[in-house]
Amino acid sequence: MPLKTPLIALLLMSIANTVSAAEILTPAKQAYITDFESGKVLFSKNAEAQMKPASMAKIMTVFIVFQRIAEGSLRLDDKFFVSEKAWRKGGSRSFVEVESKVSVSDLLHGVIVQSGNDAAIVLAEGIAGTEDAFAEEMNFWAKKLGMTNTNFRNATGWPDPELTTTAKDLNILTTELLGRFPVDTYPDLYPIFAKKEFTYNQIKQPNRNPLVYGTEGADGLKTGHTDESGYGLVGSAQRDGQRVVMVLNGMDSMKQRSSESRRLIDLMFREFKSYKFFDKDQPVDRANVWLGKAPTVDLVLDAPLKMVLSRKDRQAMEISLQWLDPVPAPIMKGDQIGTLVVSLPDTVIKYPLRAAQNVEELGVFNRIGAAVKYLVFGAAESSKVAQ
């Protein structure tokens, strides 16, 4: 039985003329950019170096509020009391009034759009009683989500010697928020991040995230700045069904943050594409069957074959199929018949090819006839899948 190793034609074959990969450089001190669906790392720079999150820490504050809403223990129209501590907090503000009661919806808008420290503290105290207790809940979730290099100290990202995180950890948090609270299920939550302005107490403030002003597909998330951290941004954009999650920090100015975040988002979508090669249960090829009631059996994968690839990797990619042909009957649906091999410049990935149907063994007399026919004429050529 020969080992079949056909290369799949057309779309899946490697292309002789390769294209050099784009050289990605950034003035950001820390950066971590991923494809949302696959988790593939598109770019990384000092991603696990300790850094200060500044107001990007508010993403965890928002995450906890979203989680309470999803659980049903909190509603958008619930109201929280504004303490003097919250009212007096400096930095960016939503201008909530002391001893007033403010709806969770308005407070979320205040945190997300206006980056209000006062609104964040009101939410923290309303949920956990004190901001310190809320910080404990923030760290509980950080540990649960796998943010192993993060320690929160407050709901705002206000400077604290023990406050620390990494670009990778903020990416983990953002990816979880996007996946846990999809827009079709929670239409009143994540879309707040894309709002360009919010007015509270007759004071209108713009969204500080530069991506929401004209960057294609951008819909979040949060900026941050302190003298210690520099200028940072957690952003996300979606184009043609592909979403990119980006964390940048340590830039020198608002202008640099704006231009660099836009440039890198556009570059990621130019250089990395999501390719879908086969659906689940779509025949990849067909194997000849030895002494079976059917002459061939379809070969399928366990799951859709989708990959996010750089231009360079896509140009150099090869996909081949391997199996011993013909395959002896009986064959049960789900039996591994062979292997699909994806060869990339830096790695080789293998996927099992399984039988899509049962193929029963021929009766004794038919087996004799089929064996004689095979010895005289050989096996029929396996067909290629048109792409």
Side-chain angles (χ1 to χ4, degrees):
M1 296 182 184
L3 181 68
K4 299 284 287 187
T5 58
L7 281 179
I8 301 177
L10 299 177
L11 178 63
L12 301 185
M13 286 194 66
S14 64
I15 301 174
N17 298 320
T18 61
V19 175
S20 296
E23 185 178 15
I24 302 175
L25 301 172
T26 179
K29 291 182 174 63
Q30 300 92 16
Y32 197 69
I33 308 175
T34 60
D35 173 76
F36 169 70
E37 183 176 9
S38 67
K40 180 183 176 71
V41 179
L42 309 182
F43 178 69
S44 179
K45 177 183 177 181
N46 299 326
E48 297 188 65
Q50 293 295 312
M51 69 182 206
K52 300 295 185 179
S55 283
M56 295 182 291
K58 293 185 176 92
I59 296 175
M60 179 58 90
T61 300
V62 171
F63 176 91
I64 291 172
V65 176
F66 282 6
Q67 183 65 28
R68 293 294 183 97
I69 292 171
E71 292 171 353
S73 62
L74 191 64
R75 299 182 307 177
L76 286 169
D77 58 359
D78 287 342
K79 292 187 176 183
F80 287 156
F81 179 80
V82 179
S83 68
E84 185 169 350
K85 175 188 175 180
W87 175 69
R88 287 187 179 277
K89 193 66 177 178
S92 52
R93 303 176 62 195
S94 297
F95 299 99
V96 294
E97 296 181 350
V98 66
E99 297 186 354
S100 66
K101 288 189 175 182
V102 184
S103 71
V104 170
S105 178
D106 283 344
L107 292 168
L108 277 174
H109 282 75
V111 171
I112 293 170
V113 181
Q114 300 173 335
S115 197
N117 292 327
D118 49 359
I121 295 173
V122 173
L123 285 169
E125 293 176 339
I127 287 173
T130 67
E131 190 177 9
D132 287 343
F134 187 79
E136 291 181 9
E137 185 164 349
M138 295 172 78
N139 287 321
F140 164 81
W141 278 106
K143 183 177 181 180
K144 187 171 183 177
L145 299 181
M147 300 169 66
T148 56
N149 293 302
T150 292
N151 182 49
F152 291 109
R153 296 292 295 159
N154 50 62
T156 63
W158 192 263
D160 184 289
E162 297 181 21
L163 170 65
T164 188
T165 190
T166 66
K168 182 177 180 180
D169 278 3
L170 287 180
N171 187 288
I172 290 171
L173 170 60
T174 302
T175 299
E176 185 69 24
L177 186 147
L178 287 163
R180 193 178 285 244
F181 310 108
V183 174
D184 55 351
T185 305
Y186 304 101
D188 297 324
L189 299 184
Y190 181 72
I192 299 172
F193 281 101
K195 293 187 176 181
K196 294 181 175 63
E197 62 184 32
F198 178 64
T199 300
Y200 186 78
N201 203 15
Q202 299 183 336
I203 300 172
K204 181 168 70 174
Q205 297 187 67
N207 194 323
R208 289 164 169 77
N209 182 357
L211 293 178
V212 302
Y213 301 100
T215 301
E216 181 185 351
D219 54 14
L221 294 160
K222 191 76 190 68
T223 59
H225 169 255
T226 62
D227 291 342
E228 188 177 12
S229 71
Y231 290 83
L233 180 143
V234 178
S236 184
Q238 188 171 19
R239 300 178 189 176
D240 299 325
Q242 180 182 358
R243 179 177 288 279
V244 168
V245 179
M246 176 176 68
V247 179
L248 305 176
N249 199 41
M251 289 170 285
D252 295 334
S253 66
M254 289 179 63
K255 182 178 180 180
Q256 187 179 71
R257 177 175 65 190
S258 176
S259 61
E260 189 63 7
S261 60
R262 293 171 185 271
R263 183 186 74 86
L264 285 176
I265 279 286
D266 288 342
L267 181 60
M268 293 303 110
F269 283 112
R270 283 199 307 271
E271 290 300 313
F272 296 91
K273 298 292 184 183
S274 178
Y275 298 94
K276 186 173 185 178
F277 298 112
F278 294 103
D279 287 317
K280 182 181 179 182
D281 298 327
Q282 176 186 351
V284 175
D285 210 326
R286 188 171 292 125
N288 294 303
V289 176
W290 171 248
L291 303 181
K293 290 187 176 181
T296 61
V297 62
D298 291 334
L299 306 180
V300 297
L301 296 165
D302 291 327
L305 179 55
K306 298 174 65 176
M307 302 185 76
V308 176
L309 299 170
S310 67
R311 290 164 59 87
K312 179 182 178 181
D313 284 351
R314 179 64 186 90
Q315 295 286 329
M317 176 185 187
E318 290 184 359
I319 295 183
S320 61
L321 312 178
Q322 300 174 350
W323 71 88
L324 290 172
D325 194 87
V327 181
I331 300 169
M332 297 295 294
K333 181 179 179 179
D335 285 350
Q336 181 172 351
I337 303 301
T339 305
L340 183 149
V341 181
V342 177
S343 299
L344 296 166
D346 298 323
T347 188
V348 174
I349 309 170
K350 297 183 178 182
Y351 302 90
L353 286 169
R354 302 193 184 278
Q357 307 93 17
N358 296 327
V359 180
E360 296 180 12
E361 187 179 23
L362 287 170
V364 60
F365 294 110
N366 288 331
R367 289 203 305 273
I368 294 171
V372 171
K373 182 178 179 181
Y374 178 82
L375 292 173
V376 174
F377 298 107
E381 283 294 320
S382 61
S383 63
K384 296 294 188 296
V385 178
Q387 296 296 320

